[in-house]
């Protein structure tokens, strides 16, 4: 049985979840399916310790993966030894691989002295318990640190002379001389090292496959030898110094002074050079399939995946990615104040260049500009001034640190008025594009920033804040929405945020920037209760922050109902987020019984109408939030709304009658069930995503 020890030169990356590891792929090629008895002898002494004993059990379980365990083919048994040998289970006790692995897991560490010789004598006397009495090949696998407290040479020789093949697997920091004595000849083929489980498992698998007992390695694989090292921890004696000592003298009543050495003992890690063997198979990464600096990670013998650098990953081979395919006018507003420091400003310049290189291309429909501020504001690169990446990067290089105060509020007001006067992205497209300001800052504003940010958002601009984690609160106030805030924990982490920033930029050109008339209908009846009604109100407030409130983009109206319906505010009543939030906070609880039908009829007749602010040709959506009571009369009014092109969403809370609500909602996807009022906030993003999915191009949406 030639033994091949496989020692990978570097750890393998973790494969995706539910995907076999490279070692598992390799082991699947080698199934020992002949008649053979395998006895595992586990060292359970105190010198091993409980941790290494558990690793030995893990190795034993890994070994079973390559064995066709069956009463007529491979049988496996286990003996644990320390002061005395203990039969854990005989070879004929398990019918399947899973049974063996489960029994190995349940073996309990015993502790005691390391009496390896006594365990070998036990096997000589008892044979392989449950085995087939030497009518089939017998393999003994000893897992030990080789620190026996008795003689092992004689019983080991007797076992091998009897025809038993012995593998010695070193555990922890083994005594290699003793393992050499235990192992069959040639010993270098039968000594393995279990410092890492797969090392020893690979070596043993390779040995078994080289015999006539087990299937051969795949034709795509080969055996290679390579230099390696084995380690052990030994106690050595070192000269520590000399001290004055006195010795006897030949003269009476006299002593002789001299220097005497003294020694110390210390434990050192000693490496033993060796020659090991490794089975290598064709690597799917040999063809270098990952481009643009991507790293290829093999997933077995045939598959791989690429770890791509920032800006790439458009396909499996790291094609360019993150392209700003959304049509936006984009202005970076960079803090150049003393608070950010020269180092921080240079870091922002590097970030801008990395971003431009990663996400922009000559075909990108986005227009990009850069402004910087401290006491004053400058716009060295106007939005849309340069269309090619190289020119943009060169002009970013020319930007100079200015120092001075951090007047973020002043800068926001300035770019709101002067920052967006770009040429169209394409000559034949003249529509106004969403305007996005990306604030890059590392210092707190010295002037009022909240009102300035509200003014900017009120003018229809989208704000995205990028800064250090300690500025999160201020950035949230600037953006008006935590989902438009990007924070980083350390300078290098800033560059890792490019994909997240790209996603946030393009999201403004999705749902929240499309024209929408949205009406919430809240059940304010006694069945809901005052406390839960406040939760509904808070949900509407937080949801409204996800939209750009503007006469040209999103209008939100609110209806509350019990036995009668009441318009809290019409669609065109509030044109800023702050005014909308203030109005929502004042909506009263009604009490009484619920009639969802009257609420929907009220919305059809008196809310989704042009005189009350609805816009012709704009997508229209109603979101009803109810506990399901009083919905029996809502089917017909809901049908009227749907017939007029209004999407009807139903958010049912608690134990609701799904069949009834399905007849009200525009489709099954528009019915969202929430288990409790406390869980409602957790569904906010999901509900808004569903609303966004419904915003298909409007076709002759009628005026109600």
């Amino acid at each position: 049985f030639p033994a091949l020890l496989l020692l990978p030169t570097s750890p393998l990356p973790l494969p995706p979840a539910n995907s076999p590891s490279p070692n598992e792929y390799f082991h699947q090629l080698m199934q020992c399916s002949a008649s053979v008895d395998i006895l595992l002898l586990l060292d359970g002494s105190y010198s091993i310790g409980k941790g290494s004993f558990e690793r030995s059990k893990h190795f034993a379980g890994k070994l079973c993966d390559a064995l066709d365990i069956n009463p007529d083919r491979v049988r496996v048994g286990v003996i644990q030894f320390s002061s005395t040998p203990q039969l854990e289970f005989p070879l004929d006790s398990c019918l399947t691989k899973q049974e063996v692995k489960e029994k190995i897991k349940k073996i309990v560490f015993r502790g005691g002295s390391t009496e390896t010789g006594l365990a070998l004598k036990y096997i000589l006397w008892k044979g392989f318990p449950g085995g087939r009495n030497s009518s089939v090949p017998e393999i003994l696998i000893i897992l030990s640190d080789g620190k026996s407290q008795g003689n092992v040479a004689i019983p080991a020789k007797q076992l091998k002379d009897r025809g038993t093949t012995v593998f010695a697997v070193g555990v922890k920091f083994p005594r290699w001389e003793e393992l050499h004595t235990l192992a069959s000849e040639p010993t270098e083929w039968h000594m393995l090292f279990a410092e890492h489980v797969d090392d020893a498992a690979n070596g043993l698998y390779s040995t078994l496959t080289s015999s006539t007992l087990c299937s051969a390695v795949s034709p795509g694989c080969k055996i290679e030898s390579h230099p390696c090292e084995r380690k052990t921890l030994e106690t050595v004696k070192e000269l520590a110094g000399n001290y004055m000592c006195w010795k006897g003298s030949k003269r009476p009543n006299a002593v002789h002074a001299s220097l005497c050495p003294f020694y110390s003992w210390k434990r050192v890690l000693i490496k033993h050079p060796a020659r090991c063997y490794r089975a290598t198979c064709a690597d799917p990464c040999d063809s270098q399939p990952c481009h643009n600096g991507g790293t290829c990670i093999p997933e077995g013998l045939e598959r791989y995946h690429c770890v791509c650098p920032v800006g790439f990953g458009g396909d499996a081979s790291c094609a360019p990615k993150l392209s700003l395919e959304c049509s936006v006018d984009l202005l970076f507003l960079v803090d150049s104040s003393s608070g950010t420091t020269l180092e921080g400003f240079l870091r922002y310049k590097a970030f801008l260049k990395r971003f431009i290189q990663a996400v922009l291309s000559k075909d990108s429909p986005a227009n990009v500009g850069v402004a910087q501020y401290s006491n004053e504001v400058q716009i060295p690169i106007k939005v849309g001034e340069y269309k090619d990446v190289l020119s943009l990067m060169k002009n970013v290089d020319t930007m100079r640190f200015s120092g001075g105060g951090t007047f973020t509020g002043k800068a926001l007001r300035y770019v709101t008025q002067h920052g967006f006067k770009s040429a169209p992205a394409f000559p034949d497209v003249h529509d106004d594009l969403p305007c996005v300001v990306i604030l890059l800052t590392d210092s707190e504003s010295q002037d009022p920033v909240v009102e300035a940010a509200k003014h900017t958002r009120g003018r229809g601009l989208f704000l995205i804040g990028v800064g250090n984690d300690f500025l999160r609160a201020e950035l949230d106030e600037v953006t008006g929405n935590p989902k438009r805030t990007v924070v980083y924990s350390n300078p290098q982490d800033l560059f890792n945020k490019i994909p997240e920033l790209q996603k946030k930029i393009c999201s403004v050109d999705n749902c929240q920037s499309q024209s929408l008339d949205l009406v919430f209908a809240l059940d304010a009846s006694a069945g809901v209760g005052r406390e839960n009604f406040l939760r509904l109100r808070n949900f509407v407030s937080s949801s409204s922050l996800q939209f750009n409130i503007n006469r040209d983009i999103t209008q939100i109206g609110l209806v509350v109902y019990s036995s009668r319906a009441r318009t809290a505010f019409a669609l065109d009543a509030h044109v800023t987020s702050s005014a909308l939030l203030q109005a929502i906070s004042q909506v009263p609880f009604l009490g009484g019984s619920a009639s969802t039908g009257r609420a929907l009829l009220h919305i059809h007749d008196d809310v989704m109408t042009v005189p009350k602010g609805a816009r012709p040709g704009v997508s229209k959506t109603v979101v009803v939030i109810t506990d399901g009571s009083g919905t029996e009369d809502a089917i017909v009014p809901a049908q009227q709304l749907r017939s007029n092109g209004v999407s009807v969403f139903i958010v049912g809370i608690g134990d609701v009658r799904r069949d009834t609500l399905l007849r009200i909602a525009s489709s099954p996807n528009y019915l969202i069930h929430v288990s409790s009022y406390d869980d409602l906030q957790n569904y906010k993003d999901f509900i808004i995503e569903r609303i966004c999915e419904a915003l298909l191009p409007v076709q002759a949406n009628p005026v109600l």
Side-chain angles (χ1 to χ4, degrees):
F1 294 89
L4 304 174
L5 177 60
L6 307 182
L7 296 175
T9 56
S10 61
L12 289 167
L14 289 175
N18 302 320
S19 176
S21 70
N23 277 310
E24 286 168 342
Y25 278 111
F26 182 58
H27 301 158
Q28 288 167 7
L29 299 175
M30 298 177 282
Q31 279 291 314
C32 190
S33 189
S35 294
V36 59
D37 286 349
I38 297 179
L39 181 61
L40 300 174
L41 190 59
L42 304 184
D43 186 343
S45 65
Y46 287 131
S47 64
I48 282 285
K50 193 172 187 302
S52 293
F53 181 74
E54 291 300 319
R55 285 195 291 276
S56 297
K57 285 167 54 180
H58 181 49
F59 164 73
K62 294 279 285 186
L63 170 63
C64 292
D65 289 333
L67 303 177
D68 184 11
I69 296 175
N70 183 290
D72 297 325
R73 291 185 286 276
V74 180
R75 294 187 185 182
V76 176
V78 176
I79 293 176
Q80 179 184 176
F81 73 94
S82 53
S83 303
T84 58
Q86 168 71 35
L87 178 63
E88 297 293 348
F89 59 88
L91 284 85
D92 58 356
S93 64
C94 299
L95 301 178
T96 66
K97 180 185 304 184
Q98 194 58 38
E99 286 183 56
V100 174
K101 295 178 72 172
E102 287 299 321
K103 285 196 174 187
I104 290 173
K105 285 182 181 178
K106 294 178 181 178
I107 296 176
V108 177
F109 175 69
R110 295 171 60 83
S113 58
T114 312
E115 299 290 348
T116 313
L118 185 61
L120 296 177
K121 291 175 183 177
Y122 175 87
I123 297 171
L124 282 168
W125 176 47
K126 293 279 190 178
F128 275 34
R132 283 162 280 193
N133 300 321
S134 302
S135 62
V136 300
E138 294 181 335
I139 298 175
L140 177 64
I141 301 173
I142 305 172
L143 290 98
S144 173
D145 61 0
K147 298 175 182 177
S148 178
Q149 294 170 332
N151 183 277
V152 299
I154 295 174
K157 184 177 184 303
Q158 290 173 335
L159 266 174
K160 290 180 282 189
D161 289 345
R162 201 173 71 176
T164 302
T165 301
V166 180
F167 286 89
V169 181
V171 180
K172 202 174 181 180
F173 296 110
R175 185 178 294 154
W176 291 108
E177 294 81 2
E178 180 170 310
L179 295 183
H180 190 278
T181 303
L182 292 171
S184 291
E185 294 290 341
T187 53
E188 62 270 20
W189 294 351
H190 292 81
M191 286 174 58
L192 307 171
F193 190 22
E195 182 180 358
H196 301 292
V197 172
D198 285 330
D199 293 348
N202 283 340
L204 190 57
Y205 294 155
S206 299
T207 303
L208 293 176
T209 55
S210 68
S211 73
T212 57
L213 292 176
C214 305
S215 58
V217 181
S218 166
C221 301
K222 59 183 178 180
I223 303 298
E224 293 179 341
S225 65
H226 66 98
C228 64
E229 291 179 337
R230 290 171 173 153
K231 303 175 185 177
T232 190
L233 196 62
E234 296 183 8
T235 302
V236 298
K237 180 180 178 181
E238 284 189 343
L239 177 66
N242 296 289
Y243 66 96
M244 184 67 69
C245 62
W246 287 264
K247 299 180 180 179
S249 173
K250 293 181 179 180
R251 292 180 298 169
N253 302 319
V255 293
H256 175 69
S258 68
L259 291 176
C260 297
F262 64 94
Y263 299 90
S264 64
W265 298 84
K266 71 176 185 178
R267 292 165 68 84
V268 295
L269 190 66
I270 296 179
K271 298 178 180 179
H272 302 269
R275 191 132 198 102
C276 301
Y277 298 86
R278 174 173 54 208
T280 59
C281 303
D283 193 326
C285 292
D286 287 346
S287 61
Q288 299 181 333
C290 303
H291 306 300
N292 298 308
T295 302
C296 182
I297 306 298
E299 294 178 354
L301 302 177
E302 298 178 354
R303 295 188 299 170
Y304 68 90
H305 77 270
C306 296
V307 178
C308 304
V310 172
F312 300 94
D315 62 17
S317 300
C318 295
K321 187 189 175 185
L322 298 179
S323 175
L324 274 178
E325 296 177 357
C326 48
S327 298
V328 292
D329 281 348
L330 182 62
L331 179 66
F332 286 92
L333 181 57
V334 183
D335 185 348
S336 179
S337 68
S338 300
T340 291
T341 72
L342 173 60
E343 181 184 5
F345 179 73
L346 294 176
R347 183 164 57 247
Y348 281 145
K349 284 178 59 175
F351 173 79
L352 283 175
K353 291 168 67 177
R354 183 86 61 88
F355 180 90
I356 291 167
Q357 191 175 29
V359 307
L360 291 182
S361 66
K362 63 180 181 179
D363 299 322
S364 175
N367 300 303
V368 178
V370 183
Q372 65 181 87
Y373 74 95
S374 52
N375 295 324
E376 303 296 332
V377 185
Q378 305 170 28
I379 306 180
I381 304 174
K382 296 180 173 61
V383 174
E385 184 176 0
Y386 301 102
K387 289 298 182 183
D388 63 290
V389 171
L390 185 60
S391 297
L392 269 172
M393 293 177 65
K394 284 183 176 179
N395 280 273
V396 169
D397 272 334
T398 64
M399 294 171 58
R400 295 290 178 262
F401 178 67
S402 57
T406 310
F407 293 94
T408 308
K410 178 180 178 180
L412 288 173
R413 292 184 182 275
Y414 183 90
V415 298
T416 301
Q417 184 175 357
H418 303 288
F420 295 91
K421 296 180 180 178
S422 67
F426 299 108
D428 56 340
V429 177
H430 297 281
D431 294 335
D432 290 335
L433 300 179
C435 296
V436 182
V437 177
I438 299 178
L439 173 65
L440 297 171
T441 180
D442 253 357
S443 53
E444 295 182 354
S445 178
Q446 295 175 244
D447 65 340
V449 71
V450 177
E451 288 303 318
K454 287 181 179 179
H455 170 74
T456 299
R457 299 197 305 270
R459 295 292 297 272
L461 276 65
F462 294 90
L463 286 173
I464 297 175
V466 180
N468 201 294
D469 189 58
F470 74 86
L471 275 180
R472 183 189 294 270
E474 181 173 301
L475 292 174
D476 285 349
E477 289 183 326
V478 168
T479 63
N481 182 354
K483 288 188 175 295
R484 293 189 183 145
T485 298
V486 178
V487 295
Y488 54 91
S489 55
N490 57 67
Q492 184 55 43
D493 188 39
L494 169 64
F495 297 91
N496 298 330
K497 299 297 181 179
I498 289 177
E500 180 182 351
L501 179 59
Q502 183 267 347
K503 184 177 180 181
K504 292 183 185 297
I505 292 169
C506 284
S507 71
V508 305
D509 192 34
N510 188 13
C511 171
Q512 294 93 330
S513 64
Q514 295 187 41
S515 297
L516 171 67
D517 285 344
L518 175 62
V519 175
F520 287 95
L522 304 186
D523 185 343
S525 67
V528 171
R530 189 179 300 275
E531 185 176 346
N532 288 331
F533 178 74
L534 294 179
R535 291 187 174 95
L536 298 185
R537 235 170 47 180
N538 291 337
F539 171 78
V540 175
S541 295
S542 60
S543 297
S544 67
L545 290 174
Q546 306 300 309
F547 296 93
N548 185 21
I549 307 303
N550 186 290
R551 290 197 190 280
D552 297 322
I553 304 175
T554 301
Q555 294 186 151
I556 293 181
L558 180 59
V559 170
V560 292
Y561 69 93
S562 55
S563 58
R564 294 181 179 275
R566 170 180 171 182
T567 301
F569 50 82
L571 283 164
D572 59 353
H574 305 292
V575 295
T576 65
S577 293
S578 56
L580 185 67
L581 293 175
Q582 179 66 25
I584 294 171
S585 68
Q586 296 175 354
V587 175
F589 174 69
L590 301 180
S593 59
S595 173
T596 307
R598 287 190 176 182
L600 293 179
L601 189 62
H602 175 76
I603 293 171
H604 179 274
D605 294 342
D606 205 41
V607 178
M608 283 289 191
T609 63
V610 172
K612 295 301 176 68
R615 295 165 294 178
V618 170
S619 297
K620 295 175 173 58
T621 297
V622 173
V623 179
V624 181
I625 308 179
T626 175
D627 64 357
S629 60
T631 56
E632 296 80 5
D633 61 350
I635 296 172
V636 174
Q639 179 59 48
Q640 289 179 299
L641 284 168
R642 294 198 300 270
S643 298
N644 286 326
V646 180
S647 299
V648 180
F649 285 79
I650 303 293
V651 180
I653 301 176
D655 187 15
V656 297
R657 292 187 57 183
R658 181 175 176 83
D659 55 341
T660 301
L661 298 185
L662 276 172
R663 298 175 67 186
I664 302 171
S666 295
S667 85
N669 286 337
Y670 293 4
L671 173 58
I672 300 157
H673 179 251
V674 179
S675 58
S676 68
Y677 287 92
D678 289 332
D679 281 344
L680 185 58
Q681 284 290 350
N682 298 330
Y683 282 78
K684 179 185 66 181
D685 291 341
F686 177 72
I687 293 170
I688 291 174
E689 183 180 332
R690 286 292 172 87
I691 293 172
C692 291
E693 290 172 356
L695 294 184
L696 300 174
V698 180
Q699 296 181 355
N701 195 352
V703 178
L704 301 182

